[in-house]
Amino acid sequence: MAKYTRIDTVQVMKETGIVPVFYHKNLEVCKEVIKACYDGGARVFEFTNRGDFAHEVFGELNKYVSQELDGMILGVGSVIDAGTTSLYLQLGANFIVSPIVHVEMARTCNRRKVAWMPGCGSVTEISFAQELGAEVVKIFPGAQVGGPSFVKAVKGPLPWSSIMPTGGVSPSKENLKEWFDSGVHCVGIGSKLFQQHTDGTFDYTEITNKVKSALEIIKKLKA
């Protein structure tokens, strides 16, 4: 069962401004990465459902987070159907992110008051997702959909919209300024935070520093 309500999750997303997005088949790597993000100040983390047995990795990762990383809200992304949604909710996912709008996924999450963040690429999809109960909508792929200018345009007729772009977001000051000036709720960042070495390993200290730097930039942008 989810530890955090959808309102808790949405508020923390807004307060911190960043949702790291990551998947790896190795549980120990996932533990090191989420700990690095936690040490950098991140308090929301999206584990992506992309590999074989990903749900098994997530289940163990969530146990680790619950025991060792107080205040970290762990959820799942890249979910596209109600069955997989139910599976992850049973494993304690605190939120579900999807690249699509799916009515049954919305109903499944709403029954348990868990945050559901569907991927949208138009004003019509965003409005429909909100009608289905989405507090935050994801625009994906963020850059291809239209980038910060798309968010700004949407906020004209739908100023109440809380939007999280994923794809085309980097932890640089210039990029973050563009997105937050457009009015985003928060941003999802994946590969730009987790660059691998040629041997496939990660520099966990570098991840911590990148997260910390990005959070400091966002804090100044909001001031």
Side-chain angles (χ1 to χ4, degrees):
M1 193 171 83
K3 182 178 179 181
Y4 299 91
T5 69
R6 58 186 172 191
I7 300 303
D8 291 335
T9 300
V10 169
Q11 287 178 334
V12 174
M13 288 171 69
K14 185 173 180 60
E15 288 167 6
T16 57
I18 287 181
V19 179
V21 179
F22 182 80
Y23 167 78
H24 199 283
K25 64 181 181 181
N26 187 301
L27 172 62
E28 296 308 315
V29 171
C30 291
K31 287 181 179 179
E32 293 287 354
V33 166
I34 197 169
K35 176 66 163 55
C37 290
Y38 183 84
D39 290 344
R43 290 299 179 267
V44 185
F45 190 96
E46 177 186 329
F47 174 87
T48 52
N49 173 52
R50 289 188 180 167
D52 292 337
F53 308 107
H55 67 287
E56 295 182 3
V57 177
F58 175 82
E60 293 304 312
L61 184 64
N62 203 20
K63 292 175 186 177
Y64 165 75
V65 169
S66 296
Q67 295 168 2
E68 304 294 335
L69 307 181
D70 184 48
M72 175 61 90
I73 301 175
L74 178 61
V76 182
S78 298
V79 179
I80 61 170
D81 58 74
T84 307
T85 298
S86 296
L87 174 63
Y88 276 105
L89 292 180
Q90 192 65 22
L91 292 171
N94 291 289
F95 60 91
I96 300 291
V97 182
S98 177
I100 61 173
V101 179
H102 191 292
V103 175
E104 286 304 316
M105 287 180 65
R107 289 173 177 157
T108 300
C109 289
N110 289 340
R111 285 190 189 102
R112 300 198 191 187
K113 297 179 72 174
V114 172
W116 168 68
M117 301 161 199
C120 302
S122 69
V123 173
T124 298
E125 284 186 328
I126 291 171
S127 182
F128 182 50
Q130 292 169 341
E131 182 182 334
L132 294 175
E135 287 287 338
V136 174
V137 297
K138 168 183 174 177
I139 60 166
F140 176 82
Q144 287 76 10
V145 165
S149 61
F150 174 76
V151 176
K152 189 173 182 179
V154 169
K155 298 280 281 188
L158 306 178
W160 50 81
S161 300
S162 298
I163 297 173
M164 174 180 70
T166 303
V169 182
S170 74
S172 71
K173 180 179 180 180
E174 294 74 21
N175 187 267
L176 291 172
K177 186 176 190 306
E178 282 190 290
W179 285 111
F180 280 90
D181 282 353
S182 73
V184 297
H185 184 82
C186 63
V187 295
I189 309 181
S191 59
K192 300 293 185 181
L193 278 179
F194 310 116
Q195 295 176 339
Q196 288 180 280
H197 296 150
T198 54
D199 63 356
T201 61
F202 296 89
D203 184 331
Y204 302 118
T205 300
E206 181 184 26
I207 293 171
T208 295
N209 290 337
K210 280 186 176 182
V211 171
K212 187 179 296 183
S213 172
L215 291 176
E216 289 173 354
I217 290 168
I218 292 171
K219 186 176 181 179
K220 291 177 181 177
L221 290 173
K222 290 181 175 181

